[in-house]
Amino acid sequence: MWEHQSLFRVSAQLFAEGIFNLLDRNLRPEVFLLGLASGREEDDPQSVVVEPTSLRYSPAEFGSIKTLAASFEAGDLSPRDNVYHLHPQDHDRMEKHHWYELVCRATDQVLQELVARRGENRRCFCSTPLSLNGYLVVVVIQLAADTYNSYYTLPGKPGPNRPCSLPHAAVLEFLHECTRALREADTADNEQPVLDRDYNEVLRGAGRRLMLRISPGNAHGLYDACLGVAALRHEGDEGRGTMLLGRRQHPAIVPVLTLETPVPLRDHRSIRKLLELTEGSTGLVSDAAHVFGLGHLVPESAPQYEPLATVHFTNHYGWELRHAGHTLMRVVSNTPRLPQGKVQADNFARVIRQVFPEIDDPNVEYLWELALEASNQSHGTMLCITAGAKPEAERLRRQCFRVVPRPMTPPVLRQASSIDGAVLIEPSGVCYAIGVILDGQATEKGDSSRGARYNSAVRYTSSSPYPCLAIVVSEDGWIDLLPSPQHAAVATPVVNAAAR
């Protein structure tokens, strides 16, 4: 298709991994390119190009896309023929855009049939085609279907401008970036497309897409307004409270207090002050443009009940988007993330056995009790399980409090983890040090959007000569299981290994 197509495909793959690994590493993104020759018949071997050429799908399996798109156009009953444009170029542009949409729809259907026929655990998404060097280039991304489907989705039919969840919004933002890069490469002197947008900035764009979807009347600016409100304090206190999102005089909202003059949502200080009035199920009522007062939802048994989106301000710079009791997105310091919960027992047992293959079941249950206790710390903590706890306590003696070796118990762990630093124990549960300041070499697996506790654990587990597993509980509610990759059966940390 063009000279640098392999380079672009690799760049897009790395770009996707950087984005979706921040959400959930189990999504396992896979990116490939599909090119449909504009001036060739479908039986021509060069009519379809797939990049990479080693892809498990053959070009012939996509040969029917344009015929399928034409059948969609023949069955299109919309009154497009009755629409006239003042300028001929406008008409041509609209016809071309409509054809591209049909090709995208046909590509999606062919991909879904391929995946179903092969029994693959993949969820497929494709971009709108872009004309490049005589080919209609389509960017395709596949995600692990079981992981993608495990997250709550908004009711209604999803679409290019209607994301149903944060992962879906991230997919749309990723495909938008790929199309932009291809379009700029086609018009610039340099033909190498560049995907250089920051991963967290892509997720912020995804968060804005999701907030636009749930905004009454599709009002823009809700995401940034929530950021502005969450960043403010009132008389030194963090912002905590709820905001209901619904049109004015919504039948499912019972008004408690109505403002004579609605307050614009862009007036962050006033909204932050009004947030102090919320309590329990009573929250501010907003249409994503103004706040009208206080109210609460009618009971679910009421005939006029309708599940509405709500914004819950949890702490300074922190808020959550929920719908029908399900958390769609958590935002911490302007960084959207998927909801996290407690570590699951089966997931913990799987990871601990990968790092320590000889560990027995009673010891796994014992360490599981300690992990549960660590996950209950609201201020954040770290439990480091390592086969070299004794020599490591000796090596780090100037940056920890060494203790007389003793079996760790949940009550003692609760006390020992109340200070900064990690608790260092063996797989048998014997503790050798508390308040440990972990060290380690810098690694590319770090995440600048996370805190010092998380990144120090990543450095330590990546460079530890001993098999180890770090359980990191961050103050913002994140829980991570970080095994040493050189000793685990998997080569990457199991990040965000939490129940949903």
Side-chain angles (χ1 to χ4, degrees), residues 187-246:
T187 57
D189 294 335
N190 183 9
E191 295 182 355
Q192 298 186 29
V194 178
L195 293 169
D196 57 355
R197 192 178 178 190
D198 181 75
Y199 301 148
N200 284 307
E201 184 57 37
V202 174
L203 292 179
R204 293 183 191 109
R208 290 184 177 91
R209 283 179 180 265
L210 185 60
M211 295 293 279
L212 180 62
R213 160 71 193 279
I214 57 92
S215 299
N218 292 327
H220 289 264
L222 179 58
Y223 179 90
D224 295 292
C226 292
L227 289 179
V229 173
L232 297 176
R233 295 178 181 269
H234 179 69
E235 297 182 353
D237 294 332
E238 295 181 339
R240 298 180 185 272
T242 307
M243 183 167 62
L244 303 175
L245 299 176

Side-chain angles (χ1 to χ4, degrees), residues 352-431:
I352 200 77
R353 286 193 171 94
Q354 288 176 348
V355 182
F356 308 105
E358 299 179 356
I359 194 170
D360 55 19
D361 292 342
N363 215 16
V364 171
E365 294 179 3
Y366 170 58
L367 293 176
W368 166 242
E369 293 181 4
L370 296 180
L372 275 181
E373 185 60 43
S375 67
N376 288 328
Q377 288 287 8
S378 59
H379 57 76
T381 188
M382 188 193 314
L383 176 64
C384 186
I385 307 171
T386 172
K390 184 175 181 180
E392 285 293 275
E394 173 63 26
R395 183 178 68 86
L396 301 171
R397 62 185 179 277
R398 294 194 177 276
Q399 52 196 63
C400 72
F401 296 102
R402 298 169 63 195
V403 298
V404 177
R406 60 151 293 164
M408 180 56 66
T409 62
V412 175
L413 179 61
R414 188 184 314 116
Q415 294 176 301
S417 59
S418 60
I419 61 174
D420 290 338
V423 177
L424 202 63
I425 67 173
E426 286 183 336
S428 62
V430 176
C431 178

Side-chain angles (χ1 to χ4, degrees), residues 6-335:
S6 297
L7 177 61
F8 175 75
R9 206 281 309 174
V10 173
S11 300
Q13 177 66 40
L14 296 175
F15 191 54
E17 291 175 357
I19 295 169
F20 290 97
N21 284 352
L22 292 177
L23 293 179
D24 190 332
R25 287 183 178 268
N26 294 321
L27 287 169
R28 302 193 308 277
E30 181 183 7
V31 180
F32 64 90
L33 305 180
L34 186 63
L36 308 174
S38 302
R40 296 178 185 267
E41 298 296 331
E42 290 186 350
D43 56 355
D44 191 326
Q46 299 298 322
S47 63
V48 179
V49 177
V50 175
E51 174 64 40
T53 56
S54 58
L55 190 69
R56 60 188 178 279
Y57 306 128
S58 66
E61 292 178 292
F62 300 99
S64 62
I65 288 180
K66 288 194 288 186
T67 300
L68 184 60
S71 68
F72 291 157
E73 186 175 34
D76 188 2
L77 301 179
S78 60
R80 290 190 308 110
D81 294 336
N82 298 329
V83 178
Y84 298 94
H85 301 276
L86 296 178
H87 197 282
Q89 292 183 356
D90 291 339
H91 182 78
D92 294 341
R93 185 173 62 253
M94 295 301 295
E95 288 294 313
K96 183 184 295 185
H97 181 70
H98 180 65
W99 171 248
Y100 287 174
E101 289 180 342
L102 294 176
V103 171
C104 179
R105 178 182 164 191
T107 304
D108 182 69
Q109 180 171 318
V110 170
L111 284 169
Q112 303 300 343
E113 292 174 354
L114 273 175
V115 168
R117 187 163 60 247
R118 291 167 174 254
E120 296 177 337
N121 177 37
R122 307 301 282 168
R123 183 70 181 267
C124 306
F125 304 90
C126 58
S127 68
T128 301
L130 179 72
S131 180
L132 187 64
N133 292 341
Y135 284 88
L136 292 181
V137 181
V138 179
V139 181
V140 179
I141 181 171
Q142 293 183 325
L143 302 175
D146 54 351
T147 304
Y148 179 88
N149 295 331
S150 66
Y151 292 102
Y152 176 77
T153 58
L154 292 170
K157 185 179 180 180
N161 298 315
R162 289 175 55 83
C164 59
S165 63
L166 183 59
H168 186 206
V171 166
L172 297 178
E173 196 72 13
F174 166 79
L175 294 176
H176 172 77
E177 282 299 304
C178 291
T179 304
R180 175 199 58 78
L182 287 173
R183 185 180 296 110
E184 291 179 356
D186 188 36
T187 57
D189 294 335
N190 183 9
E191 295 182 355
Q192 298 186 29
V194 178
L195 293 169
D196 57 355
R197 192 178 178 190
D198 181 75
Y199 301 148
N200 284 307
E201 184 57 37
V202 174
L203 292 179
R204 293 183 191 109
R208 290 184 177 91
R209 283 179 180 265
L210 185 60
M211 295 293 279
L212 180 62
R213 160 71 193 279
I214 57 92
S215 299
N218 292 327
H220 289 264
L222 179 58
Y223 179 90
D224 295 292
C226 292
L227 289 179
V229 173
L232 297 176
R233 295 178 181 269
H234 179 69
E235 297 182 353
D237 294 332
E238 295 181 339
R240 298 180 185 272
T242 307
M243 183 167 62
L244 303 175
L245 299 176
R247 65 182 185 275
R248 194 170 189 177
Q249 297 180 345
H250 196 289
I253 299 178
V254 179
V256 174
L257 189 67
T258 303
L259 298 175
E260 187 175 84
T261 303
V263 179
L265 204 59
R266 63 178 180 271
D267 187 354
H268 301 161
R269 290 192 177 277
S270 296
I271 302 301
R272 172 64 189 88
K273 189 172 184 179
L274 289 172
L275 204 61
E276 293 293 310
L277 302 177
T278 66
E279 183 180 10
S281 60
T282 302
L284 299 179
V285 180
S286 173
D287 64 351
H290 296 83
V291 168
F292 305 112
L294 293 173
H296 62 82
L297 283 175
V298 299
E300 293 187 20
S301 57
Q304 65 270 33
Y305 173 79
E306 178 184 339
L308 299 178
T310 57
V311 177
H312 295 257
F313 297 92
T314 55
N315 50 42
H316 198 214
Y317 291 107
W319 52 277
E320 297 180 356
L321 175 65
R322 301 179 188 175
H323 184 269
H326 300 273
T327 302
L328 286 165
M329 173 177 65
R330 296 184 66 242
V331 179
V332 179
S333 300
N334 192 15
T335 306

